[in-house]
Amino acid sequence: MKKLKNWDNKTWLSSKSYISQFNKFLKTKINFNKDSKILDIGCGRANIISALQQKYKFRNKPIGIDIVSNKGVKKNIIFKRVEALKYLKKKEKYDLIIIKQTIHFFSKTNLNRLLNLAKRSLNTKGKILIFSLKTKNNKIPCFEKMRKSLKKSLKRDEYLFKIIKKNLKKTKNSYFNFNVTISKKRYLWMIKSRYISCLLDLNDKDINNGLNEIELKYNNTIKFIDTLKCISFSK
Ligand SMILES: C[S@@+](CC[C@H](N)C(=O)[O-])C[C@H]1O[C@@H](n2cnc3c(N)ncnc32)[C@H](O)[C@@H]1O
């Protein structure tokens, strides 16, 4: 798969309001304290763990790993450019492992490997939190080809959820909702930057046609709810 680079590059996913609401959601799942050890797998620019570090001033800086080293990765955390399976073989232990919007990059075999290694890397009361786009009735604004590609990817996500359930067994599901308000101009830029995996394999012509379609279909301000499913596993 081609590499995703503009996911959180000045989008709602890196906005103060998103990060703050997301971290409030995390707080409902985890009792953070100064000694909490956190690993974010597929951290992107590490906005989430950076904000957590700012708030809680952990003794051990949170660790964020990603196969891409993006421009603008946050500096108050430890970032490592490394593949997740390789990193988890280090046998370090964490209280929280976040895997946000990243499972779709893994094959079935590698997802099982990832989960096994993540379980092994948890402290006694540790938690794994997996976040992924809601698969049913998803509200992400799309053009036709993008919608088709997203549908296919969400169908695969449902299959990945089954693998997760089978592997982790005692999981709990919940949902994180964020009200997005974005100018059409900015959203067109995001599409042009192929901000979401389902755009990576479309060719330039598809993208250009898609931009025209969005231009016609949406008002100058686009509003929708971005919903993530959260799968929580505790030891
Ligand atoms: C959609 S982005 C999500 C970024 C961030 N977690 C967020 O929610 O804003 C997925 C990230 O996973 C990373 N990634 C994909 N496969 C990976 C792997 N095997 N090991 C580490 N990172 C990976 C990608 O490079 C990308 O930055």
Side-chain angles (χ1 to χ4, degrees), residues 4 7 42-44 66-68 82-84 100-102 105-106:
L4 202 60
W7 176 256
C43 67
D66 204 295
I67 41 169
V68 177
V82 59
E83 200 283 319
K100 181 171 171 286
Q101 291 174 275
T102 298
F105 283 91
F106 289 81

Side-chain angles (χ1 to χ4, degrees), residues 2-118:
K2 286 179 199 147
K3 292 191 168 146
L4 202 60
K5 294 191 173 164
N6 285 306
W7 176 256
D8 53 357
N9 191 8
K10 300 182 192 123
T11 68
W12 71 85
L13 298 143
S14 57
S15 68
K16 263 198 179 159
S17 154
Y18 182 90
I19 303 296
S20 130
Q21 285 186 40
F22 186 81
N23 285 351
K24 269 189 197 144
F25 181 85
L26 286 183
K27 206 177 154 210
T28 64
K29 311 269 166 204
I30 306 279
N31 288 320
F32 290 111
N33 63 62
K34 284 234 179 289
D35 291 314
S36 301
K37 283 184 153 185
I38 302 166
L39 174 68
D40 186 350
I41 296 177
C43 67
R45 288 173 174 80
N47 294 312
I48 288 157
I49 50 174
S50 167
L52 287 176
Q53 175 62 10
Q54 225 169 32
K55 184 166 168 64
Y56 297 101
K57 314 247 178 322
F58 305 113
R59 270 184 256 278
N60 298 286
K61 283 185 181 171
I63 298 176
I65 62 166
D66 204 295
I67 41 169
V68 177
S69 175
N70 286 295
K71 261 192 199 156
V73 176
K74 294 290 177 296
K75 298 270 191 269
N76 64 337
I77 55 102
I78 297 171
F79 175 79
K80 292 182 194 286
R81 182 183 171 184
V82 59
E83 200 283 319
L85 299 177
K86 194 169 164 203
Y87 182 79
L88 285 170
K89 290 193 179 126
K90 277 170 67 95
K91 297 189 181 165
E92 301 273 337
K93 300 267 187 194
Y94 302 92
D95 301 298
L96 170 63
I97 299 180
I98 305 168
I99 310 175
K100 181 171 171 286
Q101 291 174 275
T102 298
I103 55 164
H104 55 289
F105 283 91
F106 289 81
S107 65
K108 175 186 173 187
T109 312
N110 281 344
L111 180 59
N112 272 314
R113 283 187 186 132
L114 179 77
L115 297 172
N116 293 339
L117 289 167

Side-chain angles (χ1 to χ4, degrees), residues 12 18 38 70 121-122 131-132 151 156 173 188 216 224:
W12 71 85
Y18 182 90
I38 302 166
N70 286 295
S121 307
L122 281 185
F131 293 88
S132 199
K151 249 189 164 173
R156 184 168 178 274
N173 294 339
L188 289 171
L216 292 173
F224 66 99

Side-chain angles (χ1 to χ4, degrees), residues 206-218:
D206 291 335
I207 296 287
N208 282 330
N209 290 340
L211 291 172
N212 290 334
E213 214 180 297
I214 297 280
E215 182 68 59
L216 292 173
K217 205 157 114 187
Y218 290 92

